[in-house]
Amino acid sequence: MSAKTTITSTADLKKLAMDFVSVSQGAAVASYPWVGKGNKIEADGAGTEAMRQAMNEIDMLGVVVIGEGEMDEAPMLYIGEELGTGNGPHIDIAVDPVEGTTLMSTGQENSLTVIACAPRGSLLHAPDMYMKKMAVGPKAKGCIDIDASLTDNMMAVAKAMNKDVTELTVMIQNRERHEGLINEVLALGASIRLFPDVDISGAVATAIDEIQVDMLVGTGGAPEGVITAVALKCLGGDFQAKLVPQDEAEIKRCLEMGITEPEKKLTMDELVRSDECFFVATGITEGLLVKGIEKRENGLLQSESFVAIGGDVKTYQYIKSHHLASGEMK
């Protein structure tokens, strides 16, 4: 393939997205043997290495702009790492080979592999730190303001969705720091849906009617926030965020990475500055968004992946595949 500097067509975008579905599947299958084994470092390492090898076979020049987390001691696809053959589109990659490492290492639900891609220079280049987030689906697009109160946002979302506020369901990570948000939702008579980890699934769920989640709010990781913004852009939803530096060192790191106002409101278009993007997730353990890896009677492993494609495509689909235990497609 001749070298290109960007994604030039809908066909390119769809092909690249499907290439990354295979990458995501391979990482999930490689991590699967470590489910419930109590060793999240080994699990993360297996997924990371499988992902790195697969991405290096794709015709692209990809750069990891936000990864598993600079603060992790786990092996990682590090920020600034170049991947691919060097031919093809130049793209930004935001990735987590095993999102929810603690969940999968202890045999709990909702661990998955996630990848988000967009043309070079499109994704927010941010350090691994806390980020305040608010996510909604397509019906409430344009109705949220992270600088306003949760009550005001819930009222606006309810109006946009033609619901009473008491009919809303709000996903919130079960953390002490979210006690005020939880109480505010309950005070309005709405429903909460708490989860232990992996806010990407809950945010994406706001755009999937069958899951019946209206909003996600709370503070979590910035890498997950960028990945979520890509997914919701593809799905027609909305997402806003604010970085939450914990100390002067984190503010300095933001400035070094070109973020001149570390605590300003970030809209979805500021987090993802292109519509030519896509999001891929493959389940490792059973989850809200995708099913986990299952071993079939014939010895093959069955995976379920979710892929959302932006641009002119604006579509999503679920893909079930079967693999040899080594991760090779059958």
Side-chain angles (χ1 to χ4, degrees):
M1 180 184 288
S2 59
K4 299 182 208 175
T5 58
T6 189
I7 298 169
T8 58
S9 69
T10 297
D12 280 346
L13 186 64
K14 292 175 71 174
K15 181 185 182 304
L16 198 57
M18 290 303 109
D19 286 342
F20 271 85
V21 170
S22 294
V23 171
S24 180
Q25 290 171 341
V29 169
S31 303
Y32 173 71
W34 297 98
V35 171
K37 302 297 184 182
N39 193 329
K40 64 181 184 179
I41 302 298
E42 291 292 340
D44 208 17
T48 297
E49 192 51 38
M51 183 172 280
R52 176 179 284 118
Q53 290 180 11
M55 283 200 282
N56 278 330
E57 295 176 4
I58 296 176
D59 282 323
M60 65 173 181
L61 180 55
V63 175
V64 177
V65 297
I66 197 160
E68 296 174 83
E70 300 163 294
M71 295 183 291
D72 281 349
E73 296 179 0
M76 65 178 69
L77 289 155
Y78 60 86
I79 292 175
E81 181 172 357
E82 294 188 352
L83 299 159
T85 64
N87 297 317
H90 293 203
I91 62 172
D92 285 348
I93 301 171
V95 62
D96 195 339
V98 183
E99 171 69 350
T101 50
T102 299
L103 295 177
M104 71 93 65
S105 68
T106 54
Q108 298 182 70
E109 296 183 345
N110 277 315
S111 69
L112 70 169
T113 293
V114 288
I115 309 169
C117 296
R120 180 67 53 81
S122 299
L123 299 184
L124 178 73
H125 188 41
D128 179 26
M129 60 188 296
Y130 279 120
M131 175 184 273
K132 183 180 177 182
K133 310 171 189 181
M134 182 173 291
V136 292
K139 293 177 183 177
K141 182 176 175 62
C143 295
I144 57 172
D145 181 359
I146 202 166
D147 283 335
S149 69
L150 177 55
T151 294
D152 287 345
N153 277 287
M154 289 176 63
M155 292 294 187
V157 169
K159 182 179 179 181
M161 299 186 72
N162 197 28
K163 290 184 174 184
D164 188 85
V165 71
T166 60
E167 298 177 281
L168 293 182
T169 297
V170 183
M171 289 207 72
I172 305 175
Q173 190 176 20
N174 192 6
R175 294 288 189 272
E176 186 177 343
R177 63 179 178 268
H178 293 148
E179 183 178 354
L181 295 176
I182 292 169
N183 290 338
E184 196 168 350
V185 172
L186 295 176
L188 288 172
S191 300
I192 55 170
R193 187 164 177 176
L194 301 181
F195 63 96
D197 279 305
V198 187
D199 59 13
I200 293 174
S201 294
V204 174
T206 63
I208 310 297
D209 285 343
E210 293 81 1
I211 302 180
Q212 298 182 340
V213 172
D214 300 303
M215 298 180 69
L216 175 135
V217 295
T219 301
E224 292 84 354
V226 174
I227 294 170
T228 296
V230 172
L232 286 174
K233 174 161 273 200
C234 295
L235 294 166
D238 206 353
F239 184 79
Q240 289 189 4
K242 295 178 76 171
L243 293 171
V244 187
Q246 301 296 295
D247 51 37
E248 289 299 320
E250 289 194 349
I251 292 174
K252 181 181 178 182
R253 183 69 178 125
C254 287
L255 296 173
E256 290 172 348
M257 295 177 76
I259 301 171
T260 56
E261 298 178 73
E263 297 179 75
K264 76 180 286 284
K265 175 171 68 178
L266 296 166
T267 66
M268 186 163 62
D269 288 338
E270 289 172 310
L271 292 159
V272 190
R273 295 181 294 275
S274 173
D275 288 335
E276 306 299 315
C277 55
F278 62 85
F279 164 82
V280 177
T282 301
I284 302 173
T285 58
E286 193 76 8
L288 179 69
L289 183 63
V290 282
K291 295 181 181 297
I293 302 279
E294 297 179 8
K295 190 166 186 178
R296 315 308 291 178
E297 291 183 2
N298 59 7
L300 297 179
L301 300 179
Q302 178 177 289
S303 69
E304 182 174 80
S305 300
F306 176 91
V307 55
I309 304 174
D312 294 331
V313 182
K314 285 289 192 297
T315 188
Y316 73 87
Q317 59 183 296
Y318 285 89
I319 299 172
K320 284 190 177 181
S321 302
H322 293 84
H323 318 259
L324 298 176
S326 63
E328 180 183 344
M329 274 291 291
K330 180 74 172 178

